[in-house]
Short mmCIF file of all heavy atoms in Angstrom, two decimals:
data_model
loop_
_atom_site.label_atom_id
_atom_site.label_comp_id
_atom_site.label_asym_id
_atom_site.label_seq_id
_atom_site.Cartn_x
_atom_site.Cartn_y
_atom_site.Cartn_z
N ALA K 1 0.83 -1.19 0.00
CA ALA K 1 0.00 0.00 0.00
C ALA K 1 0.87 1.25 0.00
O ALA K 1 1.87 1.33 0.72
CB ALA K 1 -0.93 0.00 1.20
N GLY K 2 0.48 2.21 -0.82
CA GLY K 2 1.25 3.43 -0.97
C GLY K 2 2.26 3.39 -2.09
O GLY K 2 2.83 4.43 -2.45
N GLY K 3 2.48 2.22 -2.67
CA GLY K 3 3.44 2.07 -3.74
C GLY K 3 2.86 2.44 -5.09
O GLY K 3 1.72 2.89 -5.21
N SER K 4 3.66 2.21 -6.14
CA SER K 4 3.28 2.59 -7.49
C SER K 4 3.55 1.46 -8.47
O SER K 4 4.44 0.63 -8.27
CB SER K 4 4.07 3.82 -7.95
OG SER K 4 3.80 4.95 -7.13
N LEU K 5 2.76 1.44 -9.54
CA LEU K 5 2.95 0.55 -10.66
C LEU K 5 2.62 1.31 -11.94
O LEU K 5 1.81 2.24 -11.93
CB LEU K 5 2.06 -0.69 -10.58
CG LEU K 5 2.44 -1.79 -9.60
CD1 LEU K 5 1.34 -2.86 -9.57
CD2 LEU K 5 3.77 -2.43 -9.97
N ARG K 6 3.24 0.89 -13.03
CA ARG K 6 2.97 1.46 -14.34
C ARG K 6 2.59 0.34 -15.30
O ARG K 6 3.40 -0.55 -15.57
CB ARG K 6 4.19 2.21 -14.86
CG ARG K 6 4.04 2.81 -16.27
CD ARG K 6 5.31 3.54 -16.63
NE ARG K 6 5.46 3.83 -18.05
CZ ARG K 6 5.07 4.94 -18.65
NH1 ARG K 6 4.47 5.89 -17.96
NH2 ARG K 6 5.28 5.11 -19.95
N LEU K 7 1.36 0.37 -15.79
CA LEU K 7 0.87 -0.62 -16.73
C LEU K 7 1.04 -0.12 -18.15
O LEU K 7 0.87 1.08 -18.43
CB LEU K 7 -0.60 -0.94 -16.48
CG LEU K 7 -0.99 -1.38 -15.07
CD1 LEU K 7 -2.48 -1.72 -15.02
CD2 LEU K 7 -0.15 -2.57 -14.61
N SER K 8 1.35 -1.04 -19.07
CA SER K 8 1.48 -0.72 -20.47
C SER K 8 0.65 -1.68 -21.29
O SER K 8 0.48 -2.84 -20.92
CB SER K 8 2.94 -0.81 -20.93
OG SER K 8 3.78 0.08 -20.22
N CYS K 9 0.14 -1.21 -22.41
CA CYS K 9 -0.62 -2.05 -23.33
C CYS K 9 -0.30 -1.60 -24.75
O CYS K 9 -0.61 -0.47 -25.13
CB CYS K 9 -2.12 -1.94 -23.06
SG CYS K 9 -3.15 -2.88 -24.20
N ALA K 10 0.31 -2.49 -25.52
CA ALA K 10 0.72 -2.19 -26.88
C ALA K 10 -0.13 -2.97 -27.87
O ALA K 10 -0.31 -4.18 -27.72
CB ALA K 10 2.20 -2.52 -27.08
N ALA K 11 -0.62 -2.29 -28.88
CA ALA K 11 -1.41 -2.91 -29.93
C ALA K 11 -0.54 -3.22 -31.14
O ALA K 11 0.33 -2.43 -31.52
CB ALA K 11 -2.56 -2.00 -30.35
N SER K 12 -0.76 -4.38 -31.74
CA SER K 12 -0.01 -4.77 -32.93
C SER K 12 -0.92 -5.54 -33.87
O SER K 12 -2.00 -5.99 -33.49
CB SER K 12 1.21 -5.61 -32.56
OG SER K 12 0.82 -6.82 -31.92
N GLY K 13 -0.46 -5.71 -35.11
CA GLY K 13 -1.23 -6.40 -36.12
C GLY K 13 -1.93 -5.43 -37.05
O GLY K 13 -1.50 -4.30 -37.23
N SER K 14 -3.03 -5.89 -37.62
CA SER K 14 -3.81 -5.07 -38.55
C SER K 14 -4.75 -4.16 -37.78
O SER K 14 -5.97 -4.36 -37.74
CB SER K 14 -4.58 -5.97 -39.51
OG SER K 14 -3.71 -6.80 -40.25
N ILE K 15 -4.17 -3.15 -37.15
CA ILE K 15 -4.94 -2.34 -36.20
C ILE K 15 -5.69 -1.19 -36.86
O ILE K 15 -6.55 -0.58 -36.22
CB ILE K 15 -4.02 -1.79 -35.09
CG1 ILE K 15 -2.91 -0.93 -35.69
CG2 ILE K 15 -3.44 -2.92 -34.27
CD1 ILE K 15 -2.04 -0.27 -34.63
N GLY K 16 -5.41 -0.89 -38.11
CA GLY K 16 -6.05 0.26 -38.73
C GLY K 16 -5.70 1.53 -37.99
O GLY K 16 -4.53 1.83 -37.78
N SER K 17 -6.70 2.27 -37.55
CA SER K 17 -6.49 3.44 -36.73
C SER K 17 -7.13 3.22 -35.37
O SER K 17 -8.16 2.57 -35.25
CB SER K 17 -7.06 4.70 -37.39
OG SER K 17 -8.46 4.60 -37.55
N ILE K 18 -6.51 3.78 -34.33
CA ILE K 18 -6.98 3.61 -32.96
C ILE K 18 -7.74 4.86 -32.53
O ILE K 18 -7.22 5.97 -32.63
CB ILE K 18 -5.82 3.35 -32.00
CG1 ILE K 18 -5.01 2.13 -32.45
CG2 ILE K 18 -6.35 3.14 -30.59
CD1 ILE K 18 -3.81 1.84 -31.58
N ASN K 19 -8.94 4.66 -32.06
CA ASN K 19 -9.71 5.76 -31.51
C ASN K 19 -9.47 5.82 -30.00
O ASN K 19 -8.34 6.02 -29.57
CB ASN K 19 -11.18 5.59 -31.86
CG ASN K 19 -11.42 5.65 -33.36
OD1 ASN K 19 -10.88 6.49 -34.06
ND2 ASN K 19 -12.25 4.74 -33.87
N ALA K 20 -10.49 5.62 -29.20
CA ALA K 20 -10.31 5.67 -27.76
C ALA K 20 -9.63 4.41 -27.23
O ALA K 20 -9.76 3.32 -27.80
CB ALA K 20 -11.65 5.87 -27.06
N MET K 21 -8.91 4.55 -26.13
CA MET K 21 -8.33 3.43 -25.41
C MET K 21 -8.67 3.60 -23.94
O MET K 21 -8.90 4.72 -23.48
CB MET K 21 -6.82 3.36 -25.60
CG MET K 21 -6.37 3.28 -27.05
SD MET K 21 -4.58 3.05 -27.24
CE MET K 21 -4.43 1.30 -26.87
N GLY K 22 -8.71 2.49 -23.22
CA GLY K 22 -9.06 2.59 -21.82
C GLY K 22 -8.56 1.42 -21.00
O GLY K 22 -8.10 0.41 -21.54
N TRP K 23 -8.64 1.60 -19.69
CA TRP K 23 -8.30 0.57 -18.73
C TRP K 23 -9.52 0.24 -17.89
O TRP K 23 -10.22 1.14 -17.41
CB TRP K 23 -7.16 1.01 -17.81
CG TRP K 23 -5.83 1.09 -18.49
CD1 TRP K 23 -5.26 2.18 -19.06
CD2 TRP K 23 -4.91 0.01 -18.67
NE1 TRP K 23 -4.03 1.86 -19.59
CE2 TRP K 23 -3.79 0.53 -19.35
CE3 TRP K 23 -4.91 -1.34 -18.31
CZ2 TRP K 23 -2.69 -0.26 -19.69
CZ3 TRP K 23 -3.82 -2.12 -18.65
CH2 TRP K 23 -2.73 -1.57 -19.33
N TYR K 24 -9.77 -1.05 -17.71
CA TYR K 24 -10.83 -1.56 -16.86
C TYR K 24 -10.22 -2.48 -15.82
O TYR K 24 -9.10 -2.96 -15.98
CB TYR K 24 -11.87 -2.34 -17.68
CG TYR K 24 -12.66 -1.50 -18.66
CD1 TYR K 24 -12.08 -0.99 -19.81
CD2 TYR K 24 -14.01 -1.23 -18.43
CE1 TYR K 24 -12.81 -0.22 -20.71
CE2 TYR K 24 -14.75 -0.48 -19.33
CZ TYR K 24 -14.14 0.03 -20.46
OH TYR K 24 -14.88 0.78 -21.35
N ARG K 25 -10.97 -2.73 -14.75
CA ARG K 25 -10.50 -3.69 -13.76
C ARG K 25 -11.67 -4.49 -13.21
O ARG K 25 -12.81 -4.05 -13.22
CB ARG K 25 -9.76 -2.99 -12.62
CG ARG K 25 -10.63 -2.10 -11.73
CD ARG K 25 -9.76 -1.36 -10.73
NE ARG K 25 -10.54 -0.52 -9.83
CZ ARG K 25 -10.01 0.34 -8.97
NH1 ARG K 25 -8.69 0.47 -8.88
NH2 ARG K 25 -10.81 1.06 -8.18
N GLN K 26 -11.35 -5.69 -12.74
CA GLN K 26 -12.36 -6.56 -12.18
C GLN K 26 -11.77 -7.33 -11.00
O GLN K 26 -10.76 -8.02 -11.14
CB GLN K 26 -12.89 -7.55 -13.22
CG GLN K 26 -14.06 -8.38 -12.75
CD GLN K 26 -14.73 -9.12 -13.88
OE1 GLN K 26 -14.13 -9.37 -14.93
NE2 GLN K 26 -15.99 -9.47 -13.69
N ALA K 27 -12.39 -7.17 -9.85
CA ALA K 27 -12.01 -7.90 -8.65
C ALA K 27 -12.94 -9.08 -8.47
O ALA K 27 -14.08 -9.07 -8.97
CB ALA K 27 -12.07 -6.98 -7.43
N PRO K 28 -12.51 -10.12 -7.75
CA PRO K 28 -13.37 -11.28 -7.53
C PRO K 28 -14.71 -10.90 -6.92
O PRO K 28 -14.77 -10.15 -5.94
CB PRO K 28 -12.56 -12.16 -6.57
CG PRO K 28 -11.14 -11.78 -6.85
CD PRO K 28 -11.18 -10.31 -7.14
N GLY K 29 -15.79 -11.40 -7.50
CA GLY K 29 -17.12 -11.13 -7.00
C GLY K 29 -17.68 -9.77 -7.36
O GLY K 29 -18.78 -9.43 -6.91
N LYS K 30 -16.96 -9.00 -8.16
CA LYS K 30 -17.41 -7.68 -8.54
C LYS K 30 -17.49 -7.56 -10.06
O LYS K 30 -16.88 -8.32 -10.80
CB LYS K 30 -16.47 -6.60 -8.00
CG LYS K 30 -16.40 -6.54 -6.48
CD LYS K 30 -15.51 -5.40 -6.02
CE LYS K 30 -15.46 -5.31 -4.51
NZ LYS K 30 -14.58 -4.20 -4.05
N GLN K 31 -18.26 -6.57 -10.51
CA GLN K 31 -18.38 -6.31 -11.94
C GLN K 31 -17.14 -5.60 -12.46
O GLN K 31 -16.47 -4.88 -11.73
CB GLN K 31 -19.63 -5.47 -12.23
CG GLN K 31 -20.95 -6.17 -11.95
CD GLN K 31 -22.13 -5.31 -12.34
OE1 GLN K 31 -22.08 -4.09 -12.28
NE2 GLN K 31 -23.21 -5.95 -12.76
N ARG K 32 -16.88 -5.80 -13.74
CA ARG K 32 -15.80 -5.07 -14.38
C ARG K 32 -16.18 -3.59 -14.46
O ARG K 32 -17.31 -3.25 -14.83
CB ARG K 32 -15.52 -5.63 -15.77
CG ARG K 32 -14.32 -5.01 -16.45
CD ARG K 32 -14.00 -5.72 -17.76
NE ARG K 32 -13.67 -7.12 -17.57
CZ ARG K 32 -13.25 -7.93 -18.53
NH1 ARG K 32 -13.08 -7.47 -19.76
NH2 ARG K 32 -13.00 -9.20 -18.25
N GLU K 33 -15.25 -2.72 -14.12
CA GLU K 33 -15.53 -1.30 -14.09
C GLU K 33 -14.48 -0.53 -14.87
O GLU K 33 -13.32 -0.94 -14.96
CB GLU K 33 -15.58 -0.78 -12.65
CG GLU K 33 -14.26 -0.88 -11.91
CD GLU K 33 -14.29 -0.23 -10.53
OE1 GLU K 33 -15.26 0.48 -10.23
OE2 GLU K 33 -13.33 -0.45 -9.75
N LEU K 34 -14.90 0.59 -15.42
CA LEU K 34 -13.99 1.48 -16.12
C LEU K 34 -13.12 2.21 -15.11
O LEU K 34 -13.62 2.80 -14.15
CB LEU K 34 -14.76 2.48 -16.96
CG LEU K 34 -13.93 3.56 -17.66
CD1 LEU K 34 -13.05 2.95 -18.73
CD2 LEU K 34 -14.84 4.63 -18.26
N VAL K 35 -11.82 2.18 -15.32
CA VAL K 35 -10.87 2.89 -14.48
C VAL K 35 -10.51 4.23 -15.10
O VAL K 35 -10.57 5.27 -14.44
CB VAL K 35 -9.60 2.06 -14.24
CG1 VAL K 35 -8.59 2.84 -13.40
CG2 VAL K 35 -9.95 0.74 -13.58
N ALA K 36 -10.12 4.21 -16.36
CA ALA K 36 -9.72 5.43 -17.06
C ALA K 36 -9.84 5.20 -18.56
O ALA K 36 -9.69 4.08 -19.04
CB ALA K 36 -8.29 5.83 -16.70
N ALA K 37 -10.11 6.27 -19.29
CA ALA K 37 -10.19 6.21 -20.74
C ALA K 37 -9.55 7.46 -21.31
O ALA K 37 -9.52 8.52 -20.67
CB ALA K 37 -11.64 6.09 -21.21
N ILE K 38 -9.04 7.33 -22.53
CA ILE K 38 -8.38 8.46 -23.18
C ILE K 38 -8.71 8.46 -24.66
O ILE K 38 -8.70 7.42 -25.32
CB ILE K 38 -6.85 8.41 -22.94
CG1 ILE K 38 -6.17 9.67 -23.49
CG2 ILE K 38 -6.25 7.14 -23.52
CD1 ILE K 38 -4.72 9.80 -23.04
N SER K 39 -9.04 9.62 -25.19
CA SER K 39 -9.37 9.76 -26.59
C SER K 39 -8.10 9.84 -27.43
O SER K 39 -6.98 9.97 -26.91
CB SER K 39 -10.22 11.01 -26.82
OG SER K 39 -9.44 12.18 -26.63
N ASN K 40 -8.27 9.76 -28.74
CA ASN K 40 -7.12 9.88 -29.63
C ASN K 40 -6.42 11.23 -29.47
O ASN K 40 -5.21 11.33 -29.67
CB ASN K 40 -7.55 9.67 -31.08
CG ASN K 40 -6.37 9.52 -32.02
OD1 ASN K 40 -5.41 8.80 -31.74
ND2 ASN K 40 -6.42 10.21 -33.15
N GLY K 41 -7.18 12.25 -29.11
CA GLY K 41 -6.62 13.57 -28.91
C GLY K 41 -6.04 13.81 -27.53
O GLY K 41 -5.51 14.89 -27.27
N GLY K 42 -6.15 12.83 -26.63
CA GLY K 42 -5.53 12.93 -25.32
C GLY K 42 -6.45 13.35 -24.19
O GLY K 42 -5.98 13.55 -23.06
#
């Protein structure tokens, strides 16, 4: 507790163009929830 982590997610393949990207999380017994999202413009 109190520490830090940095998550990365790289897309590859026939990706075309990327619009919005986001991070979700799911804990045991809970629904998946949106943590953060970012548009192509930032």
